[in-house]
Amino acid sequence: MNVNAPARTFRDMDPPRLAQLLDAAAELGPCRDLGTLGPALFRVLQKSLPVHRMALWLGDPGEDRPETAWAAELGQDGFLARVEPMPDLVELTRNLQTDLWDPDGTGGGSGKALRDRGFRSFVLLPLRTPEQLVGGLALSSRAPAAFREAGPAYLVHLAKFVASFTVKILRLRQMDELNASLTLERDQQRILLQITNELVEHRDPRDLFQAISRSLRERFSFDGIALVLVQHEAEPLLRFLDYPTNRGHMQENQVFTVRNGPSQRAMDLRRALVFTRAELDAFEGPIPQVLVKGEGLATMCCIPLVSRSRVMGVLSFLSRRGDAFPEATVDLLGRVTAQVAVALDNAFAYEEIQTLRDQLAQENLYLQEEMDKDFGMEIVGRSPSLQKVLRQVETVAPSDATVLLLGETGTGKELMARAIHSLSPRAERGFVQINCASIPAGLVESELFGHEKGAFTGAIAQKTGRLELAHQGTLFLDEIGDLPLELQPKLLRALQEREFERVGGTRPRKVDLRLIAATNRDLTAMVESREFRADLFYRLNVFPIRVPPLRERKEDIPTLVRYFTQKFAQRMHRPIESIPTRALEKLVAWDWPGNIRELENFIERSVILSRGRELEIPFSELETARPAPAPAATLEEADRAHILKILEACHGKVGGPDGAAARLGMKRTTLQSRMRKLGI
């Protein structure tokens, strides 16, 4: 019996059966795949129908075969056993609405097979949505007319009910596949980023190769990695090898006299090739003897290194397993190798340059131009960190905004202050400075604001303060963190109201000035510990600029060394013309806790000790005279130093599972807020 237009509303259903369907939703809801939905649905249906066999499948049978199928039969012993679904039932589902048969009906080949097994009732339910066919449900019973008694309305709503869960499973599967794809892409991008970081960090070819090998070993499973180079017309050369279980048949700097091996084939075709044990064994010459019999390789992946449209060699991955290089792995290794090729090409070029540079006997100091003079100051250096500061200086200089210079002692904060002044509209007026740490606390007020005659013991004459001297110019307050707490309110009022009174005076004095302050202390921590007024800090912190220490701009050290050498050589009339390359390298390696001031003093001492035309560096002082321990840092300073160290280890990455926030055990937003507070 074929029921083509059964009842469509819940009013046509028997209320108990409707209640059973609604109750079943809670039991079927947690099912996420066909393997869990099938048994759960079988148990649900047995509560209302005498079901002894059930088949459930997903997918449209009109589009090849169904994606997945599940079938089970209730044995005479009462246990449910998995069986194979009958193929023709799946095909019948496509054009049916609902199909029923009894012993006197026809059911095709599957119907006869079921009757032969003792089944007397059968129903075939297509599982449809308004858009498409999503599967099918076949129910069999050993009782006659078992499903006719249920009624067409119940069967139609049962199909809709089951279809909703099959749609859910299909969507969950699609979501799982999408998540898997996104996870794979994320992992691949993470690997590429890690490799990129390694490429940036290393210039020496061997260091670069070892770093790449180490990174790839963390992600992929292979036994060894080899770098084969081809230079000009020379034979292929095994330049680098990382093969911990090497049996000695492969060695670095080994020349391949046979040019038609796996590496050559990959270079000729300019694409990644994977060779099995049988393919390796088929090569002529020593290849089978070395790779297969000697090293026991089961598979080998050769990827050509192409840079500037030139094949420079091959990166080969070696494995004693036959399944080490699936297609996805080879694709990712190919993307990695494309980056590696450019980096290695640059590394070898850098190696050549280093060799040529070491051959130069002298470096003419007088051919070295003085560093950037855009600011009209002796600001020496072109490092990114310094250039960032100079851009900030150039940005804020034309305004009248207050600038707060932050940085360690000896980093050149005063030079930055003078540069801001020289680029400002007040450049033609005075630049007045005062070091708040170098003046006794009792005299700071008089130095800043001036005093009237007889204002205090010893005030035998009137004195003009620094604020007045800086009128229409710039006032530079160095070491503002050492300003006595009791003077801070008066300074704040003078800055806000643009007027002040001299010590012992009664007449307000107007002043128009631009303020620049500097400190090597953590003002935020001082505000929290009530050592510095918060309102003054906010007034000063309009445009903060952090001047980097010398250890963060090591690329500027050679230029600074040349600059100071020339400066002191001319002053002392010393005929110094060159600086040894090795000396520069050692100077760059030193941390210079005293920053530029320490470097300047050290070079001055070196010029004094030099007896010829070459600068003589007293390296023994660097080796033995380690800097004295720094005074105990505040909690904020320690926190800042720790965060900087972690950021450096994470290559500046804040978020993500391998970022600084994860290492510090805090949320990314929390770390970013802390970094802003610490001026990072």
Side-chain angles (χ1 to χ4, degrees), residues 36-53:
T36 56
L37 180 64
L41 181 61
F42 200 104
R43 290 193 302 270
V44 167
L45 293 178
Q46 280 192 311
K47 296 177 182 178
S48 58
L49 296 172
V51 179
H52 299 104
R53 180 187 175 101

Side-chain angles (χ1 to χ4, degrees), residues 372 375 379 381 386-394 416:
D372 197 345
F375 295 92
I379 298 177
L386 180 62
Q387 292 301 310
K388 177 183 177 181
V389 172
L390 295 181
R391 286 193 297 271
Q392 290 177 304
V393 167
E394 189 176 22
M416 295 300 170

Side-chain angles (χ1 to χ4, degrees), residues 362 565 568-569 572-578 580 603-620:
Q362 294 183 343
T565 300
F568 293 118
M572 301 177 190
H573 305 289
R574 296 295 178 93
I576 299 176
E577 297 179 353
S578 65
I603 295 303
E604 182 177 9
R605 187 159 60 254
S606 300
V607 171
I608 294 172
L609 296 173
S610 299
R611 292 163 294 187
R613 296 182 178 274
E614 185 177 273
L615 183 66
E616 298 179 14
I617 306 294
F619 290 115
S620 58

